[in-house]
């Protein structure tokens, strides 16, 4: 007999393309069909068959406070009754902007958009205008949203497609994008030699988390800062995941590196569709209406999304918040390392993010990640799901912990993983 989720998925496939609105949600390559979610509370999601799962996907990292946190629910409730969109300025936009730039001083001016994709797309347009150069350098396995010119050796859902890129993206559109291996200084140098004076920007996930978590190298990031400065190119940190995940100041604070532009998303929307990009006023002033770089949005700075973002960051600002999260993750990870030892599984972890790579050898970049045994991962994923633990349905994604995960839930997770791997 089919479960309600299985029936719902069949029905969805007759109306929605592929049955989903984002490919990885379809559980392709996994051994089960997707569970349809009815509600979430804290670290737990409930599907339409009334199964509960401890959630380590958390809307792909957006829900650092867990599902339906009271503070966010209250804030949204309050705004909801006062109108949901005006297409005119509201004070909440300035308030969220202030909160963010206090946490990330490199962001002198910010612009809100509706997704991470939009944020990156616009930041790149701006970088090209500012430098009057055309080429964008990115790293293999890093994902920066689905804009045409960034779908080159991209991570996340794209890495489970067969080609490197996407159909429907003409070669001409990606001729100005150069994708090279992460953590490899020599290739970066070669690229700067080859495309002398033509590189507008390097964009990087300062902690790559879209091919699974890859451990970053501060030296490498410092080197990127230096080589872009010397060559009058911009350094863009794509902190859509790491912003407000690795502390209030994101990866840039953690590593002590000031990018020229930063892109944000996920957490800053508190579970609503928000993206943002920002940086030096000198660069941001090129944006219309001050400058000649066009970028606009009907729902940008949406009052509900802004309220959710403000409420989220207010919670995160409580002293000791991140220390507690990291401590919780640290002990979890140390046990995971113990369990996975000699089992052909690599545990990569950074802050409150981790990936279990089904690989005998360390996973340090896209090349090594691609060697993982995705079939073994799929089998593991299914077993976990049966034990009521929800991991993102792909080997190349990151698991997240939230403030809502309790010690009991973590212990339950550990016991399940232990029993599955023994
Ligand atoms: C999720 C993500 C994006 C894209 O954001 P969307 O809101 O899904 O468009 C861009 N960059 C990084 C690093 C991401 O993790």
């Amino acid at each position: 007999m089919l479960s309600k989720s299985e029936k719902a998925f069949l029905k969805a496939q007759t109306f929605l393309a592929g049955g989903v609105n984002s490919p990885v949600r379809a559980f392709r390559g996994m051994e089960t069909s997707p569970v349809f979610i009815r509600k979430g509370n804290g670290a737990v999601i409930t599907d339409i068959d009334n199964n509960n799962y401890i959630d380590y996907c958390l809307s792909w990292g957006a829900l650092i406070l867990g599902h339906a946190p009271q503070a966010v629910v209250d804030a949204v409730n309050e705004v909801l009754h006062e109108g949901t969109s005006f297409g005119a300025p509201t004070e909440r936009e300035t308030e969220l902007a202030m909160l963010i730039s206090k946490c990330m001083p490199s962001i002198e001016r910010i612009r809100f958009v509706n997704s991470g994709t939009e944020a990156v797309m616009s930041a790149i347009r701006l970088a090209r205008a500012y430098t009057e150069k055309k080429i964008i350098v990115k790293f293999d396995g890093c994902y920066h949203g689905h804009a045409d010119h960034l779908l080159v050796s991209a991570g996340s859902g794209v890495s489970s497609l067969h080609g490197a890129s996407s159909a429907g993206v003409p070669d001409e559109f990606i001729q100005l994008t150069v994708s090279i291996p992460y953590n490899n200084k020599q290739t970066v140098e070669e690229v700067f030699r080859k495309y002398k004076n033509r590189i507008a920007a390097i964009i990087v996930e300062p902690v790559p988390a879209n091919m699974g978590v890859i451990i970053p190298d501060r030296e490498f990031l410092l080197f990127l800062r230096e080589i872009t400065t010397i060559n009058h190119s911009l350094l863009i940190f794509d902190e859509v995941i790491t912003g407000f995940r690795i502390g209030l100041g994101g990866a840039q604070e953690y590593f002590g590196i000031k990018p020229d532009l930063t892109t944000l998303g996920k957490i800053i929307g508190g579970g609503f569709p928000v993206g943002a990009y920002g940086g030096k006023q000198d660069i941001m002033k090129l944006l219309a209406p001050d400058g000649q770089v066009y970028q606009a949005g009907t729902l940008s700075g949406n009052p509900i999304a802004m309220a959710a973002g403000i409420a989220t960051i207010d919670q995160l600002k409580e002293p000791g918040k991140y220390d507690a999260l990291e401590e919780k993750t640290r002990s979890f990870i140390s046990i995971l390392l113990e369990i996975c030892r000699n089992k052909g599984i690599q545990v990569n972890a950074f802050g409150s993010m981790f990936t279990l790579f089904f690989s005998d050898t360390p996973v340090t970049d896209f090349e090594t990640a691609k060697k993982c045994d995705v079939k073994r991962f799929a089998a593991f994923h299914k077993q976990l799901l049966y034990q009521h633990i929800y991991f993102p349905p792909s080997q190349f994604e990151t698991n997240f912990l939230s403030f809502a995960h309790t010690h009991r839930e973590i212990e339950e997770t550990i016991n399940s993983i232990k029993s599955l791997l023994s």
Side-chain angles (χ1 to χ4, degrees), residues 22 60 114-120 142-146 156 203-207 209-210 238-242 263-266 273-275 400:
S22 197
W60 307 97
N114 302 293
S115 68
T117 295
E118 250 189 282
V120 174
C142 283
Y143 178 69
H144 304 293
H146 66 84
S156 192
I203 182 160
V204 64
E205 284 183 71
V207 182
N210 279 294
D238 184 350
E239 297 227 44
V240 170
I241 283 185
T242 52
T263 53
L264 295 168
K266 300 193 169 110
V274 178
F400 297 94

PDB file of all heavy atoms in Angstrom, residues 22 60 114-120 142-146 156 203-207 209-210 238-242 263-266 273-275 400, ligand 1:
ATOM      1  N   SER A  22      12.316  22.298  -6.598  1.00  0.00           N
ATOM      2  CA  SER A  22      13.768  22.383  -6.560  1.00  0.00           C
ATOM      3  C   SER A  22      14.243  20.929  -6.656  1.00  0.00           C
ATOM      4  O   SER A  22      13.733  20.080  -5.906  1.00  0.00           O
ATOM      5  CB  SER A  22      14.215  23.049  -5.250  1.00  0.00           C
ATOM      6  OG  SER A  22      15.537  23.497  -5.329  1.00  0.00           O
ATOM      7  N   TRP A  60      17.709  23.582   4.234  1.00  0.00           N
ATOM      8  CA  TRP A  60      19.047  23.809   3.665  1.00  0.00           C
ATOM      9  C   TRP A  60      19.855  24.838   4.449  1.00  0.00           C
ATOM     10  O   TRP A  60      20.592  25.647   3.877  1.00  0.00           O
ATOM     11  CB  TRP A  60      18.936  24.161   2.169  1.00  0.00           C
ATOM     12  CG  TRP A  60      18.137  23.111   1.470  1.00  0.00           C
ATOM     13  CD1 TRP A  60      16.791  23.162   1.172  1.00  0.00           C
ATOM     14  CD2 TRP A  60      18.556  21.807   1.072  1.00  0.00           C
ATOM     15  NE1 TRP A  60      16.379  21.980   0.620  1.00  0.00           N
ATOM     16  CE2 TRP A  60      17.438  21.130   0.537  1.00  0.00           C
ATOM     17  CE3 TRP A  60      19.790  21.138   1.121  1.00  0.00           C
ATOM     18  CZ2 TRP A  60      17.502  19.824   0.056  1.00  0.00           C
ATOM     19  CZ3 TRP A  60      19.844  19.847   0.626  1.00  0.00           C
ATOM     20  CH2 TRP A  60      18.718  19.204   0.098  1.00  0.00           C
ATOM     21  N   ASN A 114      15.376  38.592  -3.261  1.00  0.00           N
ATOM     22  CA  ASN A 114      14.471  37.544  -2.793  1.00  0.00           C
ATOM     23  C   ASN A 114      15.071  36.142  -2.705  1.00  0.00           C
ATOM     24  O   ASN A 114      14.398  35.209  -2.265  1.00  0.00           O
ATOM     25  CB  ASN A 114      13.229  37.501  -3.679  1.00  0.00           C
ATOM     26  CG  ASN A 114      12.536  38.847  -3.680  1.00  0.00           C
ATOM     27  OD1 ASN A 114      12.012  39.278  -2.669  1.00  0.00           O
ATOM     28  ND2 ASN A 114      12.590  39.532  -4.806  1.00  0.00           N
ATOM     29  N   SER A 115      16.304  35.985  -3.134  1.00  0.00           N
ATOM     30  CA  SER A 115      16.945  34.676  -3.035  1.00  0.00           C
ATOM     31  C   SER A 115      18.455  34.843  -3.107  1.00  0.00           C
ATOM     32  O   SER A 115      18.959  35.907  -3.503  1.00  0.00           O
ATOM     33  CB  SER A 115      16.490  33.765  -4.182  1.00  0.00           C
ATOM     34  OG  SER A 115      17.002  34.251  -5.411  1.00  0.00           O
ATOM     35  N   GLY A 116      19.140  33.778  -2.742  1.00  0.00           N
ATOM     36  CA  GLY A 116      20.597  33.781  -2.845  1.00  0.00           C
ATOM     37  C   GLY A 116      21.039  33.899  -4.293  1.00  0.00           C
ATOM     38  O   GLY A 116      22.022  34.583  -4.603  1.00  0.00           O
ATOM     39  N   THR A 117      20.305  33.231  -5.167  1.00  0.00           N
ATOM     40  CA  THR A 117      20.621  33.296  -6.601  1.00  0.00           C
ATOM     41  C   THR A 117      20.658  34.737  -7.090  1.00  0.00           C
ATOM     42  O   THR A 117      21.611  35.175  -7.741  1.00  0.00           O
ATOM     43  CB  THR A 117      19.559  32.513  -7.416  1.00  0.00           C
ATOM     44  OG1 THR A 117      19.651  31.131  -7.065  1.00  0.00           O
ATOM     45  CG2 THR A 117      19.753  32.676  -8.905  1.00  0.00           C
ATOM     46  N   GLU A 118      19.604  35.445  -6.739  1.00  0.00           N
ATOM     47  CA  GLU A 118      19.506  36.854  -7.153  1.00  0.00           C
ATOM     48  C   GLU A 118      20.635  37.693  -6.564  1.00  0.00           C
ATOM     49  O   GLU A 118      21.167  38.594  -7.217  1.00  0.00           O
ATOM     50  CB  GLU A 118      18.193  37.413  -6.608  1.00  0.00           C
ATOM     51  CG  GLU A 118      17.135  37.715  -7.627  1.00  0.00           C
ATOM     52  CD  GLU A 118      15.993  38.457  -6.955  1.00  0.00           C
ATOM     53  OE1 GLU A 118      15.174  37.795  -6.277  1.00  0.00           O
ATOM     54  OE2 GLU A 118      15.933  39.679  -7.090  1.00  0.00           O
ATOM     55  N   ALA A 119      20.962  37.395  -5.318  1.00  0.00           N
ATOM     56  CA  ALA A 119      22.018  38.162  -4.644  1.00  0.00           C
ATOM     57  C   ALA A 119      23.335  38.007  -5.402  1.00  0.00           C
ATOM     58  O   ALA A 119      24.019  38.996  -5.710  1.00  0.00           O
ATOM     59  CB  ALA A 119      22.173  37.691  -3.193  1.00  0.00           C
ATOM     60  N   VAL A 120      23.671  36.760  -5.736  1.00  0.00           N
ATOM     61  CA  VAL A 120      24.950  36.513  -6.403  1.00  0.00           C
ATOM     62  C   VAL A 120      24.958  37.112  -7.804  1.00  0.00           C
ATOM     63  O   VAL A 120      25.923  37.758  -8.229  1.00  0.00           O
ATOM     64  CB  VAL A 120      25.244  34.995  -6.464  1.00  0.00           C
ATOM     65  CG1 VAL A 120      26.494  34.737  -7.279  1.00  0.00           C
ATOM     66  CG2 VAL A 120      25.391  34.415  -5.066  1.00  0.00           C
ATOM     67  N   CYS A 142      31.667  24.646  -5.851  1.00  0.00           N
ATOM     68  CA  CYS A 142      30.981  25.720  -5.134  1.00  0.00           C
ATOM     69  C   CYS A 142      29.693  26.030  -5.894  1.00  0.00           C
ATOM     70  O   CYS A 142      29.666  26.000  -7.124  1.00  0.00           O
ATOM     71  CB  CYS A 142      31.848  26.974  -5.040  1.00  0.00           C
ATOM     72  SG  CYS A 142      33.141  26.862  -3.797  1.00  0.00           S
ATOM     73  N   TYR A 143      28.648  26.305  -5.150  1.00  0.00           N
ATOM     74  CA  TYR A 143      27.355  26.617  -5.759  1.00  0.00           C
ATOM     75  C   TYR A 143      27.007  28.052  -5.436  1.00  0.00           C
ATOM     76  O   TYR A 143      27.123  28.482  -4.289  1.00  0.00           O
ATOM     77  CB  TYR A 143      26.287  25.673  -5.209  1.00  0.00           C
ATOM     78  CG  TYR A 143      24.895  25.933  -5.744  1.00  0.00           C
ATOM     79  CD1 TYR A 143      24.573  25.664  -7.075  1.00  0.00           C
ATOM     80  CD2 TYR A 143      23.891  26.434  -4.919  1.00  0.00           C
ATOM     81  CE1 TYR A 143      23.294  25.889  -7.563  1.00  0.00           C
ATOM     82  CE2 TYR A 143      22.606  26.660  -5.394  1.00  0.00           C
ATOM     83  CZ  TYR A 143      22.308  26.385  -6.719  1.00  0.00           C
ATOM     84  OH  TYR A 143      21.046  26.604  -7.198  1.00  0.00           O
ATOM     85  N   HIS A 144      26.616  28.792  -6.442  1.00  0.00           N
ATOM     86  CA  HIS A 144      26.271  30.197  -6.223  1.00  0.00           C
ATOM     87  C   HIS A 144      24.900  30.529  -6.792  1.00  0.00           C
ATOM     88  O   HIS A 144      24.664  31.636  -7.276  1.00  0.00           O
ATOM     89  CB  HIS A 144      27.345  31.089  -6.844  1.00  0.00           C
ATOM     90  CG  HIS A 144      28.732  30.812  -6.329  1.00  0.00           C
ATOM     91  ND1 HIS A 144      29.096  31.064  -5.023  1.00  0.00           N
ATOM     92  CD2 HIS A 144      29.819  30.271  -6.918  1.00  0.00           C
ATOM     93  CE1 HIS A 144      30.370  30.699  -4.850  1.00  0.00           C
ATOM     94  NE2 HIS A 144      30.824  30.213  -5.981  1.00  0.00           N
ATOM     95  N   GLY A 145      23.996  29.551  -6.728  1.00  0.00           N
ATOM     96  CA  GLY A 145      22.674  29.779  -7.278  1.00  0.00           C
ATOM     97  C   GLY A 145      22.625  29.364  -8.737  1.00  0.00           C
ATOM     98  O   GLY A 145      23.612  28.873  -9.282  1.00  0.00           O
ATOM     99  N   HIS A 146      21.467  29.582  -9.371  1.00  0.00           N
ATOM    100  CA  HIS A 146      21.282  28.977 -10.694  1.00  0.00           C
ATOM    101  C   HIS A 146      21.313  29.975 -11.848  1.00  0.00           C
ATOM    102  O   HIS A 146      20.788  29.704 -12.933  1.00  0.00           O
ATOM    103  CB  HIS A 146      19.998  28.147 -10.713  1.00  0.00           C
ATOM    104  CG  HIS A 146      18.752  28.961 -10.548  1.00  0.00           C
ATOM    105  ND1 HIS A 146      18.146  29.583 -11.615  1.00  0.00           N
ATOM    106  CD2 HIS A 146      18.019  29.266  -9.455  1.00  0.00           C
ATOM    107  CE1 HIS A 146      17.076  30.236 -11.168  1.00  0.00           C
ATOM    108  NE2 HIS A 146      16.988  30.064  -9.866  1.00  0.00           N
ATOM    109  N   SER A 156      25.979  21.470  -5.148  1.00  0.00           N
ATOM    110  CA  SER A 156      24.594  21.301  -4.741  1.00  0.00           C
ATOM    111  C   SER A 156      23.867  20.359  -5.701  1.00  0.00           C
ATOM    112  O   SER A 156      24.453  19.413  -6.198  1.00  0.00           O
ATOM    113  CB  SER A 156      23.885  22.661  -4.668  1.00  0.00           C
ATOM    114  OG  SER A 156      22.645  22.499  -4.001  1.00  0.00           O
ATOM    115  N   ILE A 203      34.726  34.695  -6.944  1.00  0.00           N
ATOM    116  CA  ILE A 203      33.659  34.421  -5.991  1.00  0.00           C
ATOM    117  C   ILE A 203      33.933  33.077  -5.343  1.00  0.00           C
ATOM    118  O   ILE A 203      34.320  32.117  -6.008  1.00  0.00           O
ATOM    119  CB  ILE A 203      32.262  34.473  -6.647  1.00  0.00           C
ATOM    120  CG1 ILE A 203      31.190  34.223  -5.581  1.00  0.00           C
ATOM    121  CG2 ILE A 203      32.105  33.486  -7.809  1.00  0.00           C
ATOM    122  CD1 ILE A 203      29.807  34.693  -5.958  1.00  0.00           C
ATOM    123  N   VAL A 204      33.754  33.039  -4.020  1.00  0.00           N
ATOM    124  CA  VAL A 204      34.081  31.806  -3.297  1.00  0.00           C
ATOM    125  C   VAL A 204      33.127  31.606  -2.120  1.00  0.00           C
ATOM    126  O   VAL A 204      32.688  32.573  -1.497  1.00  0.00           O
ATOM    127  CB  VAL A 204      35.562  31.832  -2.822  1.00  0.00           C
ATOM    128  CG1 VAL A 204      35.802  32.955  -1.815  1.00  0.00           C
ATOM    129  CG2 VAL A 204      35.989  30.496  -2.225  1.00  0.00           C
ATOM    130  N   GLU A 205      32.791  30.354  -1.859  1.00  0.00           N
ATOM    131  CA  GLU A 205      32.154  30.009  -0.588  1.00  0.00           C
ATOM    132  C   GLU A 205      33.305  29.869   0.403  1.00  0.00           C
ATOM    133  O   GLU A 205      34.100  28.934   0.286  1.00  0.00           O
ATOM    134  CB  GLU A 205      31.455  28.647  -0.687  1.00  0.00           C
ATOM    135  CG  GLU A 205      30.147  28.609  -1.431  1.00  0.00           C
ATOM    136  CD  GLU A 205      29.537  27.201  -1.370  1.00  0.00           C
ATOM    137  OE1 GLU A 205      29.081  26.785  -0.295  1.00  0.00           O
ATOM    138  OE2 GLU A 205      29.531  26.512  -2.387  1.00  0.00           O
ATOM    139  N   PRO A 206      33.418  30.768   1.355  1.00  0.00           N
ATOM    140  CA  PRO A 206      34.590  30.719   2.239  1.00  0.00           C
ATOM    141  C   PRO A 206      34.682  29.401   3.027  1.00  0.00           C
ATOM    142  O   PRO A 206      35.782  28.974   3.370  1.00  0.00           O
ATOM    143  CB  PRO A 206      34.406  31.917   3.165  1.00  0.00           C
ATOM    144  CG  PRO A 206      33.023  32.412   2.949  1.00  0.00           C
ATOM    145  CD  PRO A 206      32.549  31.913   1.633  1.00  0.00           C
ATOM    146  N   VAL A 207      33.541  28.783   3.287  1.00  0.00           N
ATOM    147  CA  VAL A 207      33.526  27.385   3.723  1.00  0.00           C
ATOM    148  C   VAL A 207      32.614  26.654   2.727  1.00  0.00           C
ATOM    149  O   VAL A 207      31.400  26.790   2.798  1.00  0.00           O
ATOM    150  CB  VAL A 207      32.948  27.217   5.146  1.00  0.00           C
ATOM    151  CG1 VAL A 207      32.998  25.752   5.558  1.00  0.00           C
ATOM    152  CG2 VAL A 207      33.687  28.090   6.144  1.00  0.00           C
ATOM    153  N   ALA A 209      30.146  24.414   1.135  1.00  0.00           N
ATOM    154  CA  ALA A 209      29.154  23.562   1.801  1.00  0.00           C
ATOM    155  C   ALA A 209      28.141  23.031   0.803  1.00  0.00           C
ATOM    156  O   ALA A 209      27.115  22.497   1.187  1.00  0.00           O
ATOM    157  CB  ALA A 209      28.460  24.347   2.915  1.00  0.00           C
ATOM    158  N   ASN A 210      28.433  23.159  -0.477  1.00  0.00           N
ATOM    159  CA  ASN A 210      27.498  22.688  -1.491  1.00  0.00           C
ATOM    160  C   ASN A 210      28.031  21.508  -2.287  1.00  0.00           C
ATOM    161  O   ASN A 210      27.460  21.124  -3.303  1.00  0.00           O
ATOM    162  CB  ASN A 210      27.104  23.833  -2.427  1.00  0.00           C
ATOM    163  CG  ASN A 210      26.023  24.719  -1.805  1.00  0.00           C
ATOM    164  OD1 ASN A 210      24.901  24.274  -1.598  1.00  0.00           O
ATOM    165  ND2 ASN A 210      26.361  25.948  -1.474  1.00  0.00           N
ATOM    166  N   ASP A 238      30.661  34.446  -0.955  1.00  0.00           N
ATOM    167  CA  ASP A 238      29.280  33.996  -0.980  1.00  0.00           C
ATOM    168  C   ASP A 238      28.980  33.359   0.373  1.00  0.00           C
ATOM    169  O   ASP A 238      29.311  32.204   0.637  1.00  0.00           O
ATOM    170  CB  ASP A 238      29.062  33.001  -2.126  1.00  0.00           C
ATOM    171  CG  ASP A 238      27.598  32.574  -2.239  1.00  0.00           C
ATOM    172  OD1 ASP A 238      26.813  32.890  -1.323  1.00  0.00           O
ATOM    173  OD2 ASP A 238      27.244  31.924  -3.239  1.00  0.00           O
ATOM    174  N   GLU A 239      28.377  34.165   1.236  1.00  0.00           N
ATOM    175  CA  GLU A 239      28.074  33.710   2.599  1.00  0.00           C
ATOM    176  C   GLU A 239      26.579  33.382   2.751  1.00  0.00           C
ATOM    177  O   GLU A 239      26.010  33.573   3.825  1.00  0.00           O
ATOM    178  CB  GLU A 239      28.509  34.776   3.623  1.00  0.00           C
ATOM    179  CG  GLU A 239      30.011  35.035   3.614  1.00  0.00           C
ATOM    180  CD  GLU A 239      30.625  35.068   5.017  1.00  0.00           C
ATOM    181  OE1 GLU A 239      30.277  34.194   5.840  1.00  0.00           O
ATOM    182  OE2 GLU A 239      31.439  35.980   5.265  1.00  0.00           O
ATOM    183  N   VAL A 240      25.990  32.923   1.673  1.00  0.00           N
ATOM    184  CA  VAL A 240      24.561  32.575   1.741  1.00  0.00           C
ATOM    185  C   VAL A 240      24.335  31.492   2.811  1.00  0.00           C
ATOM    186  O   VAL A 240      23.356  31.536   3.549  1.00  0.00           O
ATOM    187  CB  VAL A 240      24.025  32.146   0.359  1.00  0.00           C
ATOM    188  CG1 VAL A 240      22.622  31.557   0.475  1.00  0.00           C
ATOM    189  CG2 VAL A 240      23.984  33.344  -0.586  1.00  0.00           C
ATOM    190  N   ILE A 241      25.275  30.563   2.921  1.00  0.00           N
ATOM    191  CA  ILE A 241      25.167  29.569   4.000  1.00  0.00           C
ATOM    192  C   ILE A 241      25.892  30.029   5.263  1.00  0.00           C
ATOM    193  O   ILE A 241      25.348  29.946   6.359  1.00  0.00           O
ATOM    194  CB  ILE A 241      25.739  28.198   3.553  1.00  0.00           C
ATOM    195  CG1 ILE A 241      24.734  27.493   2.634  1.00  0.00           C
ATOM    196  CG2 ILE A 241      26.034  27.308   4.771  1.00  0.00           C
ATOM    197  CD1 ILE A 241      25.107  26.094   2.223  1.00  0.00           C
ATOM    198  N   THR A 242      27.118  30.523   5.108  1.00  0.00           N
ATOM    199  CA  THR A 242      27.957  30.779   6.292  1.00  0.00           C
ATOM    200  C   THR A 242      27.554  32.039   7.058  1.00  0.00           C
ATOM    201  O   THR A 242      27.855  32.151   8.243  1.00  0.00           O
ATOM    202  CB  THR A 242      29.440  30.885   5.891  1.00  0.00           C
ATOM    203  OG1 THR A 242      29.559  31.849   4.820  1.00  0.00           O
ATOM    204  CG2 THR A 242      29.978  29.551   5.413  1.00  0.00           C
ATOM    205  N   THR A 263      27.598  38.107  -0.330  1.00  0.00           N
ATOM    206  CA  THR A 263      26.209  37.741  -0.637  1.00  0.00           C
ATOM    207  C   THR A 263      25.654  36.934   0.532  1.00  0.00           C
ATOM    208  O   THR A 263      26.367  36.154   1.162  1.00  0.00           O
ATOM    209  CB  THR A 263      26.114  36.923  -1.936  1.00  0.00           C
ATOM    210  OG1 THR A 263      27.003  35.807  -1.853  1.00  0.00           O
ATOM    211  CG2 THR A 263      26.482  37.762  -3.134  1.00  0.00           C
ATOM    212  N   LEU A 264      24.387  37.186   0.820  1.00  0.00           N
ATOM    213  CA  LEU A 264      23.720  36.531   1.946  1.00  0.00           C
ATOM    214  C   LEU A 264      22.385  35.957   1.495  1.00  0.00           C
ATOM    215  O   LEU A 264      21.856  36.317   0.441  1.00  0.00           O
ATOM    216  CB  LEU A 264      23.481  37.548   3.074  1.00  0.00           C
ATOM    217  CG  LEU A 264      24.712  38.136   3.761  1.00  0.00           C
ATOM    218  CD1 LEU A 264      24.319  39.329   4.624  1.00  0.00           C
ATOM    219  CD2 LEU A 264      25.426  37.089   4.606  1.00  0.00           C
ATOM    220  N   GLY A 265      21.837  35.090   2.307  1.00  0.00           N
ATOM    221  CA  GLY A 265      20.531  34.501   2.036  1.00  0.00           C
ATOM    222  C   GLY A 265      20.152  33.634   3.220  1.00  0.00           C
ATOM    223  O   GLY A 265      20.551  33.908   4.345  1.00  0.00           O
ATOM    224  N   LYS A 266      19.414  32.574   2.956  1.00  0.00           N
ATOM    225  CA  LYS A 266      19.077  31.574   3.972  1.00  0.00           C
ATOM    226  C   LYS A 266      18.770  32.165   5.360  1.00  0.00           C
ATOM    227  O   LYS A 266      17.674  32.664   5.560  1.00  0.00           O
ATOM    228  CB  LYS A 266      20.147  30.482   3.994  1.00  0.00           C
ATOM    229  CG  LYS A 266      20.215  29.814   2.604  1.00  0.00           C
ATOM    230  CD  LYS A 266      20.969  28.531   2.500  1.00  0.00           C
ATOM    231  CE  LYS A 266      20.702  27.886   1.147  1.00  0.00           C
ATOM    232  NZ  LYS A 266      21.801  27.861   0.218  1.00  0.00           N
ATOM    233  N   PRO A 273      11.683  34.013   1.911  1.00  0.00           N
ATOM    234  CA  PRO A 273      12.583  34.196   0.767  1.00  0.00           C
ATOM    235  C   PRO A 273      13.301  35.545   0.795  1.00  0.00           C
ATOM    236  O   PRO A 273      12.709  36.573   0.481  1.00  0.00           O
ATOM    237  CB  PRO A 273      11.634  34.135  -0.449  1.00  0.00           C
ATOM    238  CG  PRO A 273      10.335  33.612   0.065  1.00  0.00           C
ATOM    239  CD  PRO A 273      10.270  33.997   1.496  1.00  0.00           C
ATOM    240  N   VAL A 274      14.553  35.530   1.210  1.00  0.00           N
ATOM    241  CA  VAL A 274      15.363  36.755   1.253  1.00  0.00           C
ATOM    242  C   VAL A 274      16.779  36.446   0.788  1.00  0.00           C
ATOM    243  O   VAL A 274      17.327  35.397   1.103  1.00  0.00           O
ATOM    244  CB  VAL A 274      15.456  37.341   2.688  1.00  0.00           C
ATOM    245  CG1 VAL A 274      16.339  38.588   2.696  1.00  0.00           C
ATOM    246  CG2 VAL A 274      14.083  37.680   3.238  1.00  0.00           C
ATOM    247  N   GLY A 275      17.343  37.350   0.040  1.00  0.00           N
ATOM    248  CA  GLY A 275      18.761  37.338  -0.242  1.00  0.00           C
ATOM    249  C   GLY A 275      19.247  38.757  -0.069  1.00  0.00           C
ATOM    250  O   GLY A 275      18.434  39.692   0.057  1.00  0.00           O
ATOM    251  N   PHE A 400      22.924  20.287   8.986  1.00  0.00           N
ATOM    252  CA  PHE A 400      23.007  21.439   9.886  1.00  0.00           C
ATOM    253  C   PHE A 400      22.442  21.096  11.251  1.00  0.00           C
ATOM    254  O   PHE A 400      21.440  20.385  11.348  1.00  0.00           O
ATOM    255  CB  PHE A 400      22.205  22.606   9.313  1.00  0.00           C
ATOM    256  CG  PHE A 400      22.727  23.107   8.000  1.00  0.00           C
ATOM    257  CD1 PHE A 400      22.211  22.636   6.807  1.00  0.00           C
ATOM    258  CD2 PHE A 400      23.753  24.045   7.955  1.00  0.00           C
ATOM    259  CE1 PHE A 400      22.689  23.087   5.583  1.00  0.00           C
ATOM    260  CE2 PHE A 400      24.240  24.504   6.739  1.00  0.00           C
ATOM    261  CZ  PHE A 400      23.703  24.025   5.551  1.00  0.00           C
TER     262      PHE A 400
HETATM  263  C1  LIG B   1      21.724  28.280  -1.345  1.00  0.00           C
HETATM  264  C2  LIG B   1      22.886  28.993  -1.929  1.00  0.00           C
HETATM  265  C3  LIG B   1      22.737  29.926  -2.972  1.00  0.00           C
HETATM  266  C4  LIG B   1      21.427  30.139  -3.689  1.00  0.00           C
HETATM  267  O1  LIG B   1      20.457  30.625  -2.858  1.00  0.00           O
HETATM  268  P1  LIG B   1      18.906  30.418  -3.274  1.00  0.00           P
HETATM  269  O2  LIG B   1      18.166  31.181  -2.233  1.00  0.00           O
HETATM  270  O3  LIG B   1      18.665  28.949  -3.253  1.00  0.00           O
HETATM  271  O4  LIG B   1      18.749  30.993  -4.640  1.00  0.00           O
HETATM  272  C5  LIG B   1      23.851  30.640  -3.365  1.00  0.00           C
HETATM  273  N1  LIG B   1      25.038  30.456  -2.790  1.00  0.00           N
HETATM  274  C6  LIG B   1      25.227  29.563  -1.796  1.00  0.00           C
HETATM  275  C7  LIG B   1      26.563  29.438  -1.169  1.00  0.00           C
HETATM  276  C8  LIG B   1      24.161  28.785  -1.346  1.00  0.00           C
HETATM  277  O5  LIG B   1      24.354  27.882  -0.400  1.00  0.00           O
END
